[in-house]
Amino acid sequence: MILCVGLATVDLVYRVDRVPGVDEKAQALSAEVAAGGPAANAAVTAAALGAPVTLVTAIGAHPLGGLIRSDLEKRSVRLIDAAEGSDGLPPISTVVVEDATGRRTIVSRNAGDLAYRVPETGLPDADLTLVDGHHPVLAVAAARAARRLVVDAGTWRPVFADILPHADVVACSAAFHHPDGFTAPDVIVTHGPDPVTWTRDGRVERIPVPPVDAADTAGAGDAFHGALAFALHSGAPMRDAITSAIRVAGVRVRHPGPRSWLDQL
């Protein structure tokens, strides 16, 4: 089983001819609602590829949280809600995608300073755990308990100082910068359409990213992490796992919308 621990949001996704400026309005070409967030999107990807997946996150009892629950259930992701009974708003993101280029603009209110404890039942046993650094208490607990830990290091958060020492694999975006530097057995850095770099034992390999016509880049990194977790969970060697994750991320960006691309896997 793969355990994903981190952020789940309500994503409101609009596709527009162009992103409006200040005091401008735009009529959306389409609008969709889905669960979002790095851990949730990775969980959905891994489940779509065929792995049993559990997501530990914080949603609560607010009616909008039902949108997240419904999407995750439809995608065969088991949910453990550390905010069960809370009536506050769940994290919400508005994603605006430019139709001609697939580039996206995101406005979000994520977990903020809210802290949720590990559920009384504890965290489930998993062969591989992925954490994204959101919900720090949950993330640190999961990192310490993990048999094999993959860290989604999109942007620096102080909690990573407590998580990274437990990591087997750190998958970073090019924007990730640890203020003091770090080491891990395997460090992977994505650079958008440019080659992915993989560092092990001081050796760096550049793995090419095939060119694609991008229709929607939102969640491409999350898809990469979910596919990477799936491949490693399935026993693939690291280079093969990275290549597979690149392929899945390429499928993601070629298709508009938060979920339609999953049918192409």
Side-chain angles (χ1 to χ4, degrees):
M1 190 263 286
I2 295 175
L3 177 65
C4 296
V5 180
L7 187 65
T9 66
V10 177
D11 274 8
L12 311 176
V13 183
Y14 296 99
R15 196 166 190 89
V16 296
D17 283 325
R18 65 181 184 86
V19 177
V22 177
D23 287 334
E24 289 186 326
K25 295 181 180 180
Q27 181 66 34
L29 301 175
S30 64
E32 296 182 70
V33 179
N41 282 335
V44 167
T45 301
L49 290 167
V53 182
T54 297
L55 172 66
V56 178
T57 187
I59 298 171
H62 190 280
L64 284 177
L67 299 174
I68 303 174
R69 295 175 185 277
S70 176
D71 189 37
L72 294 176
E73 180 179 358
K74 182 179 179 180
R75 301 299 167 181
S76 300
V77 175
R78 177 188 175 216
L79 174 65
I80 297 177
D81 185 6
E84 188 174 9
S86 170
D87 58 2
L89 275 171
I92 300 175
S93 294
T94 298
V95 184
V96 181
V97 181
E98 189 176 59
D99 189 54
T101 65
R103 294 180 299 187
R104 80 280 194 269
T105 299
I106 301 175
V107 179
S108 61
R109 174 61 178 168
N110 293 334
D113 298 326
L114 299 176
Y116 296 99
R117 298 178 181 178
V118 175
E120 292 184 2
T121 54
L123 298 174
D125 188 40
D127 301 302
L128 183 144
T129 300
L130 182 147
V131 300
D132 65 10
H134 292 275
H135 301 304
V137 173
L138 301 177
V140 172
R144 289 174 175 170
R147 292 183 187 177
R148 190 179 190 187
L149 180 65
V150 177
V151 178
D152 168 359
T155 56
W156 168 254
R157 297 182 183 86
V159 70
F160 282 126
D162 296 320
I163 293 173
L164 292 178
H166 303 281
D168 298 285
V169 182
V170 180
C172 311
S173 72
F176 181 82
H177 297 288
H178 192 304
D180 301 314
F182 73 96
T183 60
D186 288 288
V187 178
I188 301 162
V189 183
T190 58
H191 303 268
D194 295 324
V196 172
T197 56
W198 166 38
T199 303
R200 172 183 283 182
D201 297 329
R203 298 189 300 273
V204 180
E205 183 174 349
R206 292 166 59 86
I207 302 175
V209 174
V212 299
D213 293 327
D216 189 344
T217 59
D222 306 337
F224 178 93
H225 297 132
L228 179 70
F230 171 80
L232 294 174
H233 177 264
S234 301
M238 183 59 69
R239 194 186 194 287
D240 292 347
I242 295 171
T243 301
S244 177
I246 291 170
R247 180 191 67 80
V248 171
V251 175
R252 167 68 194 100
V253 301
R254 287 199 300 270
H255 296 86
R259 293 290 182 256
S260 63
W261 70 278
L262 294 168
D263 297 332
Q264 308 303 316
L265 293 178

